Amino acid sequence: MYKIAPSILSANFAKLGEEVTNVIASGADIIHFDVMDNHYVPNLTIGPLVCSAIRPVTQAEIDVHLMVKPVDRIIPDFAKAGANIISFHPEASEHIDRTLSLIKENGCKAGLVFNPGTPLSYLDHVMDKIDLILIMSVNPGFGGQKFIPDALNKLRTARQKINESGRDIMLEIDGGVNTGNIAEIAAAGCDTFVAGSAVYGAGKNTDPHRYDSIIAALRAELAKVSK
Ligand code: DX5
Ligand code: ZN
């Protein structure tokens, strides 16, 4: 029931197709796709063209994490590019309910993303439209940052809200996840784990890049958690 979602932000961009197929062949479940615009966050990454380029190389779900402002204009482009899940930061949208509807009208699952300083109260009136809650355990913009422990409290609260809603909503964590903390993150109620530098960093000295041992190590930690 736990899903591992490597962030391709830390992959070798010169070999992106291979990096996607190798990480899935190594046991990962979902491809996490970080979109940054040098406006909402101080970094610039990849867009719908790259999403459509990797779409044919994998059957895995592509989980598009939009760190862009404005949000709405780019949503249909990502849906056409083959995204399965699209999530956005509430501060980046003028009309959260409308943006969630737009994602769903375009045939994708919809998610809201919470920065370390963003309250979960943004969920209050839109739970019925949400398929994914993404809790940031770093400030968005860069891979390789340190996990902020308060994210564990937020996960517990979000899990409670999901249980109360009775809906099937994914609860995802993003930032600083590794073998040393994934078990406590799962124990706090998380079911989907983004890991960028921990996964792609671990395979970078193998040729071809393989990620079996790091993904097995993450799963071994998850196996210790009793639910
Ligand atoms: C940060 C991104 C993350 C990042 C995670 O803004 O949203 O997905 O790539 O990288 P690590 O796992 O290295 O913290
Ligand atoms: Zn992300």
Side-chain angles (χ1 to χ4, degrees):
M1 79 204 116
Y2 291 128
K3 301 235 163 100
I4 295 179
S7 163
I8 55 170
L9 186 60
S10 295
N12 178 351
F13 274 60
K15 299 185 173 179
L16 196 52
E18 254 173 68
E19 291 279 67
V20 167
T21 42
N22 288 354
V23 88
I24 296 297
S26 301
D29 303 291
I30 295 174
I31 294 298
H32 186 77
F33 192 104
D34 284 310
V35 184
M36 305 184 187
D37 68 349
N38 187 37
H39 170 69
Y40 179 65
V41 292
N43 199 356
L44 185 64
T45 59
I46 45 181
L49 273 178
V50 176
C51 187
S52 48
I54 65 166
R55 182 64 285 173
V57 312
T58 186
Q59 305 276 318
E61 284 194 310
I62 300 178
D63 168 29
V64 171
H65 173 192
L66 294 178
M67 289 161 274
V68 305
K69 188 177 181 174
V71 183
D72 293 5
R73 212 218 50 78
I74 203 81
I75 285 170
D77 296 7
F78 272 105
K80 282 188 204 101
N84 302 94
I85 307 168
I86 300 179
S87 60
F88 65 97
H89 292 249
E91 303 91 337
S93 167
E94 298 292 336
H95 308 282
I96 296 165
D97 181 273
R98 177 180 286 159
T99 303
L100 290 167
S101 299
L102 182 63
I103 295 171
K104 294 175 87 73
E105 283 158 22
N106 277 272
C108 297
K109 295 183 201 165
L112 268 189
V113 192
F114 295 85
N115 284 333
T118 304
L120 289 177
S121 54
Y122 277 110
L123 289 169
D124 284 354
H125 304 282
V126 292
M127 272 307 255
D128 58 325
K129 292 210 163 89
I130 283 184
D131 303 297
L132 166 87
I133 297 172
L134 173 48
I135 305 293
M136 294 302 298
S137 37
V138 297
N139 285 292
F142 302 94
Q145 303 180 78
K146 203 168 168 301
F147 185 85
I148 298 172
D150 185 58
L152 297 171
N153 293 325
K154 228 179 203 173
L155 283 170
R156 287 184 202 104
T157 310
R159 172 52 64 196
Q160 218 173 343
K161 285 179 184 281
I162 291 171
N163 291 347
E164 282 162 15
S165 79
R167 297 192 61 243
D168 184 16
I169 297 174
M170 296 162 73
L171 181 54
E172 185 173 46
I173 191 83
D174 187 3
V177 175
N178 55 47
T179 49
N181 59 18
I182 194 167
E184 63 175 337
I185 296 168
C190 184
D191 53 46
T192 305
F193 307 84
V194 175
S197 50
V199 170
Y200 278 106
K204 71 170 187 279
N205 295 322
T206 59
D207 185 26
H209 288 181
R210 288 296 301 199
Y211 303 100
D212 307 71
S213 36
I214 178 64
I215 289 168
L218 291 167
R219 289 210 195 278
E221 286 299 313
L222 288 172
K224 294 179 188 166
V225 183
S226 56
K227 262 215 149 182

